[in-house]
Amino acid sequence: MPKIIHYRNKCIGCNICYESQPEYWRLSRKDGKATLIGAKLKKETYILEIPECDVEASKTTAEHCPTKVIKVSV
Amino acid sequence: MKKPELLAPVGTFESLHAAIRAGADAIYFGVEQLNMRTKSTPTITIEDIAEIAKVCQQHGIKAYLTLNTVMYDHDMQLASRIIRECKTHGIDAVIASDYAIFAMCREFGMPLHISTQANVSNIESVSFFAPMADVIVLARELTIKQVAHITSEVQRRNLKGISGDLIKIEAFVHGALCMAVSGKCYMSLHEKNASANRGACVQNCRRPYKVTDLETGNELVIDDEYIMSPKDLCTIDFMDQMIEAGIDVFKIEGRSKSAEYTYVTTKCYREAIDAVLDGSYNPEKITYWLSELEKVYNRGFWGGYFMGKKLGEWSKDPGSVATEKKVYIAKCTRYFPKIKVAEFTIESGQTNTGDTLLILGRNTGADKITLTELVVNGSKGSIAKRGDKITFPFESVLRPGDKLYKMVTSDA
Ligand code: SF4
């Protein structure tokens, strides 16, 4: 199953991921960083399995993240 | 002449201690993602505020926290937590440009400085901000005459800040300049989605560009210069005029630069300010300071907009043209405080008497020494190689783990 991986520590909360895929992202009001909805925490990174049909859009989001803290693995 | 406060940039604990050692009167730093150097600096976190405040209080210097990015709704809780933490630990002020932060500072009774990001360029803006702030950082695009007019008007109009004292005027004296008006650059955002105003600038202006004639497809390289990358601001050769202009706070740019940059720039400006005030400011000293400043990160220097020049001094290189670089050689193993001697173990390369050495450490900061005498493995010597233990006299305390670097010419 493809995955989105979020290295949350280095996120700057710029809002771009949320603008591009609101179904996967929201901005935490607590610390101002992006949260990958429903993701599991593994050693400081958040991982979420996604369906094949969302891979392209997620890759675009990852490309647009200014700090490159989003990765998509297929 | 009034004595200006010298304000040094801090991006790490090393640079904090370097600033203190070099004689800063105050330091500024950012935490988490809400400051203009988020992407380029190893981030200091909200938990570090307490330690930074304590270190500064112990050394009798002031500490200011920058909170000057564009702010969104989802940033409000974090911003308010940061301000409360500053208040609790006695940080002296918050530097901000967003109205939400102004309001929070008022709510928590936190002293406020208006950031350069707010672009204050005239006395009426100063007068508008004065009732809510203690210091106003001017836009970097003013001439020295314009600045002097502002400071004299502050006096004449008796413009007071929130604390009841005259509002203070701060200006940048050294460091990177931007092709855009302070805080108004969207180039990085347009090209890479990385907003400079969220601290994520990718510095694409620092590269060379070509102009293409769309009709013919002909490409022109303009003058071989980096036409969007201005040289760095340096005012050390007209420090006397800067002080006469009545500026209260002299700020050095460079929170994302190294501890030795903070050390060298702070030390040079410390000496220059003191020299102007005691009447010993002279051309020989200026030549010496300029040569010291050229050794650390820089894109070449010009006097910025202060001297009324049009934007026209562009850098010739993509990065720094620093004339020196550091090479790691040894680690500190002991310090003998009674006899003031430091012991290092050489881990790579070699060192000879006569070398200029740089010492860096988290709690030591940065310091430089030129070796005049050297003891190698217990006896007097002039060369030490890998594996050797060296000792030399050193006035201030060093700590085990501090690193020793040899300074060599950059193009070597
Ligand atoms: S795009 Fe990247 S940096 Fe911006 S909020 Fe999303 S994860 Fe964070």
Side-chain angles (χ1 to χ4, degrees):
Chain A
M1 198 79 149
K3 295 180 192 75
I4 302 177
I5 303 157
H6 187 211
Y7 302 94
R8 194 169 186 276
N9 284 350
K10 293 247 168 219
C11 166
I12 60 165
C14 74
N15 209 38
I16 284 167
C17 49
Y18 172 72
E19 287 297 332
S20 125
Q21 285 184 300
E23 65 279 27
Y24 282 126
W25 300 93
R26 63 179 182 78
L27 268 298
S28 156
R29 299 216 162 234
K30 208 164 147 227
D31 64 4
K33 291 181 192 273
T35 299
L36 181 56
I37 303 165
K40 290 207 176 77
L41 177 62
K42 252 193 211 163
K43 282 198 213 143
E44 302 204 340
T45 54
Y46 286 83
I47 301 172
L48 179 73
E49 294 192 342
I50 54 166
E52 200 63 51
C53 60
D54 282 352
V55 167
E56 272 321 298
S58 304
K59 279 190 176 165
T60 310
T61 308
E63 226 170 80
H64 286 163
C65 166
T67 46
K68 302 285 171 247
V69 296
I70 305 173
K71 294 270 171 313
V72 179
S73 92
V74 283
Chain B
M1 266 191 279
K2 68 181 161 193
K3 185 177 181 183
E5 176 178 292
L6 180 59
L7 177 54
V10 161
T12 57
F13 276 92
E14 254 177 23
S15 47
L16 168 66
H17 289 279
I20 293 169
R21 232 167 231 267
D25 299 310
I27 59 102
Y28 66 106
F29 68 104
V31 294
E32 309 291 342
Q33 68 264 29
L34 298 182
N35 74 90
M36 296 294 286
R37 298 289 182 280
T38 312
K39 198 165 173 245
S40 48
T41 340
T43 324
I44 298 176
T45 67
I46 205 167
E47 281 77 38
D48 297 322
I49 292 176
E51 184 178 347
I52 292 176
K54 198 168 134 217
V55 170
C56 290
Q57 284 152 12
Q58 277 166 354
H59 289 87
I61 68 164
K62 291 188 171 159
Y64 310 132
L65 180 132
T66 52
L67 202 55
N68 58 352
T69 52
V70 165
M71 296 282 166
Y72 298 120
D73 280 328
H74 63 258
D75 296 320
M76 294 301 118
Q77 272 193 35
L78 175 62
S80 109
R81 248 174 63 217
I82 294 173
I83 296 174
R84 268 180 285 148
E85 197 71 6
C86 288
K87 184 75 191 167
T88 311
H89 296 289
I91 293 291
D92 295 278
V94 161
I95 308 170
S97 53
D98 190 281
Y99 309 102
I101 307 300
F102 300 170
M104 282 181 203
C105 284
R106 187 161 48 195
E107 185 188 339
F108 297 121
M110 185 72 214
L112 170 71
H113 294 181
I114 306 296
S115 164
T116 194
Q117 297 298 110
N119 271 199
V120 175
S121 311
N122 59 68
I123 185 66
E124 301 307 333
S125 298
V126 170
S127 145
F128 172 80
F129 283 119
M132 61 185 99
D134 290 311
V135 176
I136 293 173
V137 192
L138 296 181
R140 286 170 292 190
E141 293 76 19
L142 298 177
T143 67
I144 206 163
K145 282 203 194 93
Q146 289 172 315
V147 175
H149 178 253
I150 290 176
T151 59
S152 71
E153 277 298 289
V154 166
Q155 302 263 359
R156 193 183 66 81
R157 300 187 190 188
N158 199 23
L159 284 182
K160 292 197 168 133
I162 193 167
S163 64
D165 294 336
L166 277 190
I167 187 84
K168 292 200 168 114
I169 298 296
E170 177 175 318
F172 280 89
V173 292
H174 193 89
L177 285 172
C178 183
M179 58 139 189
V181 171
S182 310
K184 297 279 181 284
C185 186
Y186 299 98
M187 183 167 173
S188 170
L189 181 66
H190 276 307
E191 207 198 328
K192 298 277 180 209
N193 243 337
S195 172
N197 302 310
R198 281 295 281 195
C201 179
V202 296
Q203 309 244 325
N204 35 355
C205 60
R206 303 294 181 193
R207 301 201 288 253
Y209 285 88
K210 277 181 187 165
V211 173
T212 308
D213 178 338
L214 291 179
E215 237 169 66
T216 61
N218 286 345
E219 284 176 348
L220 310 167
V221 178
I222 303 162
D223 262 2
D224 242 358
E225 288 190 348
Y226 289 68
I227 51 154
M228 278 186 283
S229 178
K231 287 182 181 174
D232 289 352
L233 170 66
C234 174
T235 60
I236 208 144
D237 51 342
F238 52 93
M239 218 7 44
D240 46 349
Q241 296 180 53
M242 293 293 284
I243 294 179
E244 267 163 34
I247 303 164
D248 300 280
V249 184
F250 284 1
K251 182 181 233 163
I252 298 172
E253 182 278 344
R255 284 188 289 122
S256 54
K257 293 179 182 139
S258 64
E260 69 261 31
Y261 171 91
T262 298
Y263 179 76
V264 170
T265 51
T266 308
K267 193 158 181 283
C268 287
Y269 280 89
R270 169 82 284 144
E271 290 171 9
I273 293 170
D274 294 348
V276 172
L277 294 173
D278 70 21
S280 67
Y281 183 75
N282 63 34
E284 289 79 57
K285 284 190 174 174
I286 295 173
T287 313
Y288 165 72
W289 292 318
L290 282 171
S291 74
E292 285 298 295
L293 292 170
E294 276 168 6
K295 289 178 184 168
V296 290
Y297 192 105
N298 74 84
R299 298 182 181 93
F301 296 130
W302 70 305
Y305 306 92
F306 284 121
M307 292 323 206
K309 283 192 194 168
K310 62 178 200 268
L311 182 53
E313 300 232 3
W314 308 105
S315 63
K316 302 252 183 237
D317 296 274
S320 176
V321 293
T323 54
E324 270 192 357
K325 65 176 181 195
K326 59 177 192 286
V327 179
Y328 176 69
I329 50 168
K331 192 190 269 164
C332 180
T333 30
R334 285 173 88 177
Y335 182 78
F336 305 94
K338 280 201 186 125
I339 49 167
K340 300 196 165 153
V341 163
E343 178 193 273
F344 281 83
T345 305
I346 309 270
E347 295 192 327
S348 127
Q350 67 167 55
T351 183
N352 310 344
T353 44
D355 282 348
T356 300
L357 302 177
L358 169 77
I359 299 154
L360 290 179
R362 184 189 184 275
N363 296 316
T364 299
D367 212 333
K368 271 187 172 175
I369 177 179
T370 302
L371 278 187
T372 48
E373 48 180 304
L374 185 62
V375 172
V376 186
N377 300 324
S379 42
K380 250 192 168 28
S382 56
I383 300 181
K385 295 204 171 70
R386 197 170 158 185
D388 289 345
K389 270 197 170 36
I390 57 166
T391 50
F392 53 84
F394 197 79
E395 265 307 302
S396 51
V397 180
L398 299 180
R399 294 156 183 87
D402 284 353
K403 292 187 168 139
L404 189 69
Y405 299 84
K406 185 157 87 174
M407 301 311 295
V408 297
T409 348
S410 256
D411 47 23

